[in-house]
Every structure is written in C-alpha cells, then in structure tokens.
C-alpha cells in the first residue's frame, strides 16, 4: 500500500497522464436540489491523523479507525478530538476482518503478512480492543492466515472467520469459529468466494453471503455445511455492497463491477491495484477505461419464503463500486462514495460524489447532497448515535473543485430525516436488556410511532457484517413507551445497540446505547 508521502508525485504523474488526449473525464453529474429535508446536508471535512480503512462505532460513542497499526486512533464525534491507540503488534493488521463482540470489544482478525512477504499473503494474528479500558489484547491465532477475510458475530456470540488468503497467498479452504477461547475449524468445505464475502446472520441462524459472488451462499454454522443459493441477475459484483434490510429476511445488493478480472484468492495473481505499479507498468488504459466498471444495478435476495430468490429493484442513478452502504436510523440505506470506474485515480472525474438514498418502502433510489470529497477504495461509513453518518478513508481524495487534497479526512452527513420536524428525545432508558424482556422508556417531544435497535458495527472494504436494524413496535402512554426486546440472538446477536425512537414523521431521536443479551 503506498504511503502518503509519495502521493503528491504519484498524483501529479497520474493527473498528467490522464489529461493526455484520449483520456477525457466523464461529465460531472448535476447537483441535486439544496432543500435539506430532501437531500440532507454535509459538514465541512476535518483532517484526520490516519487513513480510516477500518472503522468501528464503540459503545462509548467514539469511532475506532486505523489504516496501519501505528495509525490506530479514536475519534470522539462529540468533541472532535483524536486519541492515539496504536496496535502494539508487529504484524500489519490492515485488510483484516472485524467483528463486534457481545461485551463491546472489537475483534480484529488477520491482515497483511509481515514486512518482506508477498503482497497477497496473510497472517493468523488476532487482536481485541477494549473500548472502556482503551487497551489492545493479543487474541488466539487463527488456524490459517487470512488477508481480506470476513468476520461475523453469530447469534450465540461466537465469531465466524471465512475466506481471505493464507500465509502462502492461497485460499485456506476452511471456515473457523472462535468461542472466546480458541478457533475451531468447521467441517464443511467452503465454496470459492471473492475476498471479503458479504455475510449476514438470518433469523434462523443461517449465515448468507450475498453481494459479490454470482451465486448467494448459505452456511449452517451447526454443521459447517454450505449450500449454493440463487444466482444474481447481475452476476458478479466485485466491490459491491450488501445490507440486511429491516425485517431481517431481505438482503439488498447494489453496485460493484461485473466484468473483467477476478481477485479471488485461489492461487491466481490478482490484477494490480497499486497506482505505483500501474505507473511502472504503464497501465493507464486499464485505469481510465476500466476493465471492470461499476454498475447501477440493485437487487434484493429474498429469504422470506421457502427458497431464496433474487429480484431486481430500482437502479441507482450512477454506477459505483468500492462504496459504503450504511443503514440509517429509520431503516433506509445510504450508498456512499465509491468509484464509477475501476479504481479512484487523482485528477480523474470518475468518482461518485453523490450519495444515493434507498427507500426501503418504495425500493427506489434518490440522489442526495454531494459530499465534499470523493472516497473510493478503502473508504468507510458509519451511522453515529445522533443519527448522522460519518464518512472517511479512501486512498485518494478529490475535492469538488477538482483539487487533490492528499491529507486524510472525514466528514459528517445529516440525512434528510433530521430536517423534517422536531426530534423525540429519550429521557431515560435501560442500559441493558435480556432477550424477550419488556422495556419501559421515558420520552419527550413529538408523538413516537416506532423504535429500533441498530447494532453497533465495524466496516472495511464495502463490508459490514454487524450492521442490523431491528424494529420494535411501541405502546405509548403519555411520556412512557413500552417495547419488547428481540426474542433471541439469531434475530439480534448479543452486543451493544443504538436504541432510536422515531416520530410520526420519521425523525429519529438521539440514540441511547443498550447492551442486549
């Protein structure tokens, strides 16, 4: 991964090459209207001390982010301050898997092999971050090295690790589960999947992978057996995103590249992604034309019936890949950043400045206010406790005026629902809840017609396995609300959640943090 220091020269070389005849940039898309109740509003970017390739929202309301061990930092959205929390190990944890544990810790699994190793080789090291003590603890090693793996918390609190390259750059051909003490291999042979398979836990305990590979894959964690599911109409979606929608029986998959080369880790050599290598090999045509452009396509994998099935829904306005998909406080989905073409390149106009908002009720997208910076590959986005969305990371940042800021930054988006009327507020709420427990919440402000638990999540590389929106029907009696916690861990894996109240106009409260299970 290129360091930030030589990026100025790198940017100049690429910008000059891409300005040559035959490399005309795509047309700049029109800006949507400026009514914040329809398009939302962005705060100005803020300089960050690290590139946020990995990011997690903690129970304290702070964001843990890192792009390298030494660069790990905590950002406090309330004060804007940063606290360095470097990972003490020698192994590089970039391009690792991340999962949120039931006790609030963050588990980081695998990553890039030690200095001098081949680019695509992984390692088996794991680390755990305690958000309350602000300390890192070395975890148990995986049974195989994993570079670009997926980690996901199951309904019983265990963590599943899948895919990624092993110490020799090949597929470990094994899925393993951590029970808090050790990693154990599951007996079944996993199918071939792209790096970072997009996985979600369904209410019956099955793990579904959907969003990159042509076919959905389903895993029974009890037996370790995989089943090949239906094929997406778009086929392969390399760099696409997937989100488990409210109701927990539908997975939205959108964007991604569906032609060209594969980056599967099965002993093959992936296409070069490093801009320095592109310059050395004079691969400008591949950069500008893009062998694997993003798509506007969106589909829903419906698992509510007997057999899972894909169906097409409204397409996005602009193609994108390597983007973030963020579940909002009201259950809608925000597509952030990404690139129209193969890779984000400084000076090239193929970035997706414009986020798009997916309305779960109508299953259609709409453009919202454009971000200040582009953030393509290695960008991340998270829902904050106040209902806003943080957006950061990205290998290169292009400003809307065409300049090339080469410093890492983050910016915050206020979705349209924050401009549609007064917000309810939570006066008091329980800090912990057992499954099936009846809870009382004291509120103030406008009438409340709904509530939701949104799981704290960790994200990297267009992947967020912890993201989850669990609706809670409410009984309102004056300023007192009654809700019933989810029935079990498959509906809502144990851990910390944001509790939002929703007004009759869909305006969310500032969330309370609740530990479930």
């Amino acid at each position: 991964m290129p360091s930030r220091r030589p990026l100025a020269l790198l940017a100049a070389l690429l910008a000059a090459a891409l300005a040559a005849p035959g490399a005309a940039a795509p047309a700049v898309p029109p800006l949507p209207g400026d009514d914040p109740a329809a398009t939302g509003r962005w705060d100005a970017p803020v300089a960050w001390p690290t590139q946020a390739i990995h990011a997690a929202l903690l129970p304290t309301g702070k964001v843990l982010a890192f792009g390298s061990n030494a660069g790990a930092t905590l950002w406090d959205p309330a004060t804007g301050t940063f606290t360095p929390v470097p990972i003490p190990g020698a192994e590089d944890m970039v391009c690792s898997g991340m999962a949120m544990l039931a006790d609030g810790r963050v588990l980081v699994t695998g990553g890039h092999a030690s200095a001098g190793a081949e680019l695509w080789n992984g390692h088996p090291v794991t680390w755990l971050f305690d958000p309350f003590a602000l300390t890192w603890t070395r975890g148990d090693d995986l049974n195989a090295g994993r570079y670009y793996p997926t980690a996901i918390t199951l309904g019983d609190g265990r963590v599943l690790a899948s895919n990624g390259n092993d110490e020799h750059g090949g597929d470990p051909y094994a899925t393993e589960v951590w029970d808090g003490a050790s990693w154990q291999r599951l007996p079944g042979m996993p199918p071939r999947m792209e790096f970072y398979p997009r996985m979600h836990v369904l209410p019956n305990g099955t793990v579904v992978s959907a969003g990159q590979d042509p076919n959905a894959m389903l895993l029974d964690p009890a037996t370790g057996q995989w089943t090949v599911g239906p094929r997406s109409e778009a086929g392969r979606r390399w760099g696409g995103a997937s989100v488990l929608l409210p109701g927990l029986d539908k997975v939205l998959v959108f964007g991604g590249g569906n032609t060209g080369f594969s980056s599967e880790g099965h002993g093959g050599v992936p296409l070069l992604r490093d801009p320095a290598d592109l310059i050395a090999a004079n691969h400008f045509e591949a950069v500008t034309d893009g062998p694997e452009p993003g798509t506007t396509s969106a589909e829903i994998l419906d698992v509510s019936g007997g057999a899972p099935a894909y169906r097409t829904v409204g397409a996005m306005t602009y193609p994108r890949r390597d983007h973030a998909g963020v579940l909002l406080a009201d259950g809608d989905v925000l597509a952030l950043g990404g690139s129209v073409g193969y890779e984000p390149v400084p000076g090239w106009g193929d970035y997706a400045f414009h986020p798009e908002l997916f309305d779960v009720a109508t299953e259609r997208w709409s453009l919202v206010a454009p971000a200040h910076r582009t953030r393509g590959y290695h960008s991340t986005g998270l829902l904050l406790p106040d209902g806003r969305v943080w957006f950061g990371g990205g290998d290169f940042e292009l400003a809307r005026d065409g300049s090339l800021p080469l410093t890492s930054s983050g910016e915050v988006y206020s979705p349209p629902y924050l401009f549609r009327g007064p917000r309810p507020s939570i006066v008091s709420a329980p800090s912990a809840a057992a499954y099936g427990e009846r809870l009382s919440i004291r509120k103030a402000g406008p009438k409340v017609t709904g509530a939701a638990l949104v799981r704290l999540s960790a994200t990297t590389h267009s992947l967020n396995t912890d993201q989850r929106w669990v609706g809670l029907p409410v009984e309102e009696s004056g300023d007192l609300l009654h809700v019933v916690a989810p029935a079990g861990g498959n509906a809502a894996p144990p851990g910390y959640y944001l509790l939002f109240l929703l007004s009759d106009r869909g305006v969310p409260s500032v969330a309370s943090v609740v530990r479930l299970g």
Side-chain angles (χ1 to χ4, degrees):
M1 180 175 301
S3 67
R4 305 298 286 192
R5 185 173 180 181
L7 285 182
L9 175 59
L10 198 61
L13 289 170
L14 282 169
L18 294 170
V28 176
L31 300 181
D34 57 4
D35 178 6
T39 63
R41 180 177 295 161
W42 287 90
D43 293 346
V46 174
W48 269 57
T50 190
Q51 182 188 8
I53 295 175
H54 300 263
L57 178 65
L58 306 178
T60 58
K62 297 178 182 180
V63 173
L64 169 69
F66 63 91
S68 66
N69 289 24
T73 190
L74 282 181
W75 173 60
D76 187 343
T79 64
T81 55
F82 296 91
T83 303
V85 285
I87 303 172
E91 296 81 8
D92 193 349
M93 303 306 291
V94 71
C95 299
S96 54
M98 300 175 71
M100 307 297 291
L101 302 183
D103 60 6
R105 291 180 298 168
V106 182
L107 175 65
V108 182
T109 57
H112 186 266
S114 58
E118 294 293 329
L119 171 63
W120 296 95
N121 292 3
H123 65 71
V125 173
T126 71
W127 285 92
L128 297 112
F129 181 72
D130 186 322
F132 307 108
L134 304 187
T135 55
W136 290 94
T137 303
R138 176 73 181 264
D140 302 288
D141 281 2
L142 296 150
N143 287 296
R146 296 188 184 272
Y147 177 61
Y148 279 61
T150 290
I152 181 171
T153 303
L154 302 176
D156 58 8
R158 296 181 300 159
V159 175
L160 177 83
S162 182
N163 205 258
N165 277 4
D166 64 16
E167 295 89 334
H168 309 290
D171 194 319
Y173 288 113
T175 301
E176 48 189 308
V177 172
W178 183 67
D179 60 7
S182 63
W183 290 94
Q184 300 170 359
R185 292 179 185 267
L186 294 181
M189 173 73 76
R192 290 191 173 191
M193 292 182 286
E194 297 282 5
F195 286 149
Y196 281 125
R198 283 40 168 161
M199 292 184 173
H200 311 278
V201 175
L202 301 178
N204 64 1
T206 299
V207 175
V208 61
S209 174
Q212 281 211 120
D213 294 279
N215 287 86
M217 309 288 179
L218 298 107
L219 169 68
D220 181 349
T223 65
Q225 299 305 306
W226 289 85
T227 303
V228 178
R231 183 178 178 87
S232 160
E233 292 186 20
R236 181 170 169 272
R237 292 177 176 273
W238 172 249
S242 74
V243 173
L244 183 65
L245 297 178
L248 310 179
D249 57 3
K250 296 178 179 63
V251 179
L252 174 68
V253 300
F254 52 104
N258 55 14
T259 61
F261 297 91
S262 173
S263 294
E264 293 177 307
H266 303 293
V269 179
L271 189 68
L272 297 175
R273 305 180 72 89
D274 188 331
D277 292 335
L278 292 169
I279 289 175
N282 197 28
H283 286 327
F284 290 118
E285 182 178 353
V287 175
T288 58
D289 294 339
E292 195 161 1
T295 177
T296 62
S297 163
E299 298 174 69
I300 282 179
L301 176 67
D302 193 330
V303 296
S304 61
Y310 273 109
R311 59 182 173 83
T312 300
V313 295
M316 294 182 289
T317 301
Y318 299 106
R320 71 181 76 219
R321 52 169 294 157
D322 301 322
H323 49 287
V326 179
L327 259 174
L328 299 181
D330 63 355
D332 287 346
V333 178
L334 187 68
L336 282 168
S339 172
V340 172
Y342 173 65
E343 287 288 355
V345 177
W348 186 246
D350 68 347
Y351 296 82
F353 274 108
H354 296 79
E356 300 193 38
L357 186 61
F358 182 78
D359 187 313
V360 173
T362 65
E363 298 185 346
R364 302 194 69 84
W365 297 88
S366 59
L367 286 173
V368 294
H372 293 284
R373 302 277 180 86
T374 60
R375 303 176 191 279
Y377 197 62
H378 286 153
S379 63
T380 44
L382 288 171
L383 177 69
L384 299 176
D386 61 6
R388 298 182 301 163
V389 174
W390 168 81
F391 184 36
D395 285 352
F396 298 101
E397 298 179 23
L398 177 70
R400 286 210 304 269
D401 63 4
S403 61
L404 291 167
L406 293 174
T407 55
S408 295
S409 72
E411 53 191 301
V412 174
Y413 175 67
S414 297
Y417 54 46
L418 294 180
F419 302 94
R420 292 176 179 166
R423 304 183 71 170
S425 60
I426 298 174
V427 177
S428 63
S431 60
Y435 289 119
E437 182 180 356
R438 182 178 170 86
L439 308 175
S440 296
I441 304 164
R442 193 166 299 279
K443 65 93 176 176
K447 180 177 178 61
V448 169
T449 56
L453 291 172
V454 181
R455 184 171 167 83
L456 301 190
S457 62
T459 181
T460 186
H461 292 78
S462 305
L463 171 74
N464 191 331
T465 62
D466 286 295
Q467 204 167 213
R468 202 174 194 88
W469 193 99
V470 184
L472 304 175
V474 300
E475 299 174 14
E476 185 173 12
S477 177
D479 63 352
L480 199 63
L481 302 175
H482 297 289
V483 299
V484 177
N490 289 336
Y496 284 86
Y497 287 74
L498 300 175
L499 170 64
F500 287 102
L501 303 182
L502 297 165
S503 77
D504 55 358
R505 302 185 67 178
V507 182
S509 65
V510 172
S512 288
V513 177
V514 178
R515 183 176 180 179
L516 181 62

